[in-house]
Amino acid sequence: RRFGDRRAAHDHRRPAAMSPQPRSRSPRHHAPPVVDKIAAVDKDDLVDGHSAQDIFESGGNSVGYTYDDLICLPGHIAFGVHEVAVHGNFTKTIRLKTPIVSTPMDTVTEAKMAIAIALEGGIGVIHTNLTVEEQVREVMWVKKYESGFIMDPVCIAPTTKISDLDTLRKTSGFSGYPVTEDGRMGSRLLGLVTKRDT
């Protein structure tokens, strides 16, 4: 016989008064009620974990946490959203609106990452697996970037050769350059050379 047929025959022989047992493995279906025990337990013992204030504002806490160290549990708050402040100090003189810092690893933070982190209110730390000159260049790229506007662009003259432009792109890190009459900022703008032009 098929499995379905044997099951039907077994159900047919089951007494009418027998009710099927619950198949759930949840402890709620099998655990006896413990009303009296809960009444005797202190309310503070039922709270799981620690508050953010206990973790981050405790004077004796000098532990650093990573992503997997903390689990945020939902709960009620006694303050408004407008009172939430996430700013903090990166150093004694540098204050961040958003406490996001990218690690100084050669596979993580260079100029592009530092710019992206800065636009979000954080800070990126350039790694040191570079020469001093290369580190200065990475920092200058970040410093020149201000909300998408380059305040002191590198200009080129109409007589600039393509080979010189390729060298300039490698050293400056920019892909577009304004073309002025004398190749200096402040003179008459003649055009713009972008990455699409090469």
Side-chain angles (χ1 to χ4, degrees):
R1 295 180 181 178
R2 292 179 300 169
F3 178 77
D5 295 336
R6 292 198 306 270
R7 183 176 179 182
H10 178 72
D11 291 341
H12 179 71
R13 292 192 300 269
R14 177 183 297 170
M18 182 183 293
S19 61
Q21 296 293 328
R23 301 182 64 183
S24 173
R25 295 183 179 181
S26 174
R28 294 182 179 180
H29 291 288
H30 306 288
V34 283
V35 178
D36 295 337
K37 290 184 178 181
I38 292 179
V41 175
D42 190 1
K43 292 183 178 180
D44 294 337
D45 295 335
L46 299 178
V47 178
D48 186 16
H50 305 277
S51 67
Q53 186 175 7
D54 294 339
I55 294 174
F56 297 109
E57 297 183 8
S58 176
N61 188 7
S62 59
V63 179
Y65 296 98
T66 62
Y67 301 108
D68 297 330
D69 292 334
L70 300 174
I71 298 177
C72 296
L73 300 176
H76 295 284
I77 58 175
F79 51 86
V81 178
H82 64 282
E83 300 179 55
V84 176
V86 296
H87 57 266
N89 289 338
F90 180 66
T91 65
K92 292 182 179 180
T93 57
I94 300 177
R95 189 168 180 81
L96 301 178
K97 294 182 178 179
T98 307
I100 299 177
V101 180
S102 63
T103 179
M105 295 174 59
D106 54 2
T107 56
V108 177
T109 308
E110 289 186 351
K112 290 184 178 180
M113 174 61 79
I115 291 172
I117 294 293
L119 291 176
E120 298 298 328
I123 191 170
V125 183
I126 303 297
H127 66 86
T128 57
N129 293 338
L130 299 168
T131 63
V132 175
E133 293 76 13
E134 290 173 333
Q135 292 182 47
V136 171
R137 187 182 64 208
E138 294 286 329
V139 173
M140 291 307 299
W141 287 348
V142 180
K143 294 291 186 180
K144 287 179 178 290
Y145 192 97
E146 295 185 9
S147 300
F149 295 95
I150 302 173
M151 307 308 295
D152 52 345
V154 179
C155 302
I156 61 175
T159 57
T160 302
K161 297 180 180 179
I162 299 296
S163 58
D164 296 335
L165 184 60
D166 291 337
T167 303
L168 187 62
R169 280 180 173 161
K170 293 178 181 179
T171 56
S172 66
F174 300 122
S175 59
Y177 300 91
V179 182
T180 59
E181 285 183 336
D182 58 0
R184 298 179 182 179
M185 184 178 175
S187 61
R188 185 168 175 265
L189 180 65
L190 301 178
L192 185 67
V193 176
T194 66
K195 188 176 181 180
R196 298 179 180 180
D197 297 327
T198 56

